[in-house]
Amino acid sequence: MSVQTTMQAAARGRWAVAGIFLANGFLTGSWAPQIPVFLTRLDITRFTLGLLILLFGVGAVIAMTWCGHLISRHGSRSVTRWFGVCGSFGLLIVALAPNVPLAAIAMLVFGGSIGGMDVAMNSNAVVVERRLSSAIMSSSHGFWSLGGFAGGALGGYSIQNYGYLAHAVAVTVIAFAVIAFAVRYLIAEGRPQAVEHQKFTLPRHMAVYLVGLMALLTMISEGAVLDWAALFLHQELGADLAVAGLAYAAFSGVMALMRFLGDGVRNRFGAVSTLRGSALVAAAGMLVAGLSPSPYLAIAAFAFCGFGIANMVPIIFSAGGNQEGMSSGTGMSVVTTMGYSGILVAPSAIGFVAEHSSFGPIFVALSALLVVVLLMAGLAHRAEFAPEPVPAE
């Protein structure tokens, strides 16, 4: 295979994995407007709903834990295909669940397929980065944010006008079509990885767990803004609901924009320097938000925080997928599992603390966690690129 042909295949693979990120975000975003219908349709309490949503997270973490082993045996392209096809039907099976027991199973399957797809697509993005010797992770996550925005924005209108089941069917058809087209052009690892792990084991290299800790601390902050920023503005800063909703909108909008710009910044300044600068900006934004006396200042501060957090997770994921002595799938599995565990655990822990305190000090404390990531940023040096050998054919 010529170098030119290989680079053309890698370029197609870059857009193919972007399509997978887009579909994953679209499926996740489309679930959010289904939640109120899910609650009333099954006639359940908010507590029961919380347990069912927790099962989504449990399924995701279980799949993420095993996904590295599957990728080391079969490659990220195949595993992305398997989980992608299953994931495209995840929302539909949840919408079809007629009772709580079947809904619980559906949520486990939906969460598992989305979680496994997440690890596999991030691992494949690392493979593309190696092949191109250029960053694509930030813009890939930008496509995820774009898909999530589209799913959330269109979902409410579709459900209101056509019903929840028609919406779920439409989401399934769109996601399946995008995934089926994209997987044809995904690129494979340049060498077999099956020899690395004959059975499921946890990596022994401490470095990958430290990178996972950075993901955990970063995604705790991201999840806190998602779940609690609006309540902070409404209950403690006196904003009405319309203004309070702008907190996460500003955060996510700026984050999506910066993810599309982030690869150029990272290619110019390097992964470590970009991560340090991003962590400093994010910590400053979170600190100002926590100390803010005004809802509008808090909104601006959360937007500034999104400006920083935008490229932290992509860089950390690239570092996790490039750990020495292990496959990209194994490293990515550890880092994504630890990172997403922060989003799963943090909301309930923050809610418990907020019952005995206020949200302001919590956001100030979260800024300190981002400073810890700043101090650990040197561990992201593995995100710098070493070109992958071109496979012979």
Side-chain angles (χ1 to χ4, degrees), residues 64-317:
M64 287 175 173
T65 303
W66 279 92
C67 205
H69 173 61
L70 295 174
I71 292 171
S72 69
R73 290 175 59 94
H74 304 287
S76 62
R77 179 171 62 180
S78 295
V79 178
T80 301
R81 181 185 298 119
W82 299 339
F83 279 110
V85 171
C86 292
S88 64
F89 291 93
L91 183 65
L92 181 59
I93 63 172
V94 171
L96 290 171
N99 53 51
V100 171
L102 290 178
I105 296 172
M107 290 294 285
L108 272 172
V109 172
F110 187 26
S113 60
I114 291 295
M117 186 179 172
D118 195 293
V119 174
M121 69 189 188
N122 276 285
S123 298
N124 194 260
V126 169
V127 176
V128 176
E129 287 188 326
R130 290 175 181 170
R131 194 72 55 84
L132 294 175
S133 295
S134 179
I136 69 155
M137 190 66 82
S138 289
S139 58
S140 294
H141 281 255
F143 279 103
W144 188 92
S145 298
L146 184 63
F149 175 79
L154 298 175
Y157 174 83
S158 301
I159 293 171
Q160 181 175 335
N161 289 276
Y162 304 105
Y164 75 93
L165 193 55
H167 168 254
V169 171
V171 168
T172 300
V173 171
I174 294 170
F176 182 83
V178 171
I179 292 168
F181 180 78
V183 294
R184 298 167 56 196
Y185 299 101
L186 293 174
I187 64 173
E189 287 78 356
R191 59 186 180 277
Q193 297 184 350
V195 296
E196 296 185 25
H197 292 284
Q198 298 299 326
K199 61 181 181 179
F200 174 73
T201 57
L202 291 174
R204 297 181 180 179
H205 302 277
M206 183 57 64
V208 72
Y209 297 104
L210 294 176
V211 174
L213 177 62
M214 289 197 294
L216 173 68
L217 298 179
T218 302
M219 296 181 79
I220 284 176
S221 298
E222 185 176 344
V225 178
L226 168 64
D227 290 304
W228 300 113
L231 201 60
F232 168 54
L233 264 67
H234 180 59
Q235 291 188 348
E236 297 185 16
L237 299 184
D240 60 33
L241 291 176
V243 172
L246 295 176
Y248 184 69
F251 176 85
S252 60
V254 171
M255 185 165 63
L257 175 63
M258 281 307 301
R259 281 179 166 172
F260 284 114
L261 299 175
D263 290 330
V265 175
R266 178 177 159 194
N267 285 329
R268 179 173 180 179
F269 297 104
V272 173
S273 295
T274 303
L275 180 59
R276 283 176 176 151
S278 297
L280 180 61
V281 169
M286 193 72 81
L287 177 64
V288 173
L291 297 175
S292 175
S294 160
Y296 293 100
L297 177 59
I299 290 169
F302 282 127
F304 195 66
C305 185
F307 182 92
I309 283 182
N311 294 304
M312 293 174 66
V313 170
I315 290 172
I316 292 168
F317 278 12

Side-chain angles (χ1 to χ4, degrees), residues 53-63 108 112 344:
I53 292 175
L54 180 62
L55 286 176
F56 178 95
V58 170
V61 169
I62 291 173
L108 272 172
L344 294 173

Side-chain angles (χ1 to χ4, degrees), residues 316-343:
I316 292 168
F317 278 12
S318 285
N322 280 294
Q323 290 298 301
E324 187 175 2
M326 67 185 69
S327 70
S328 63
T330 300
M332 190 66 70
S333 178
V334 172
V335 173
T336 53
T337 300
M338 292 182 67
Y340 283 102
S341 294
I343 288 183

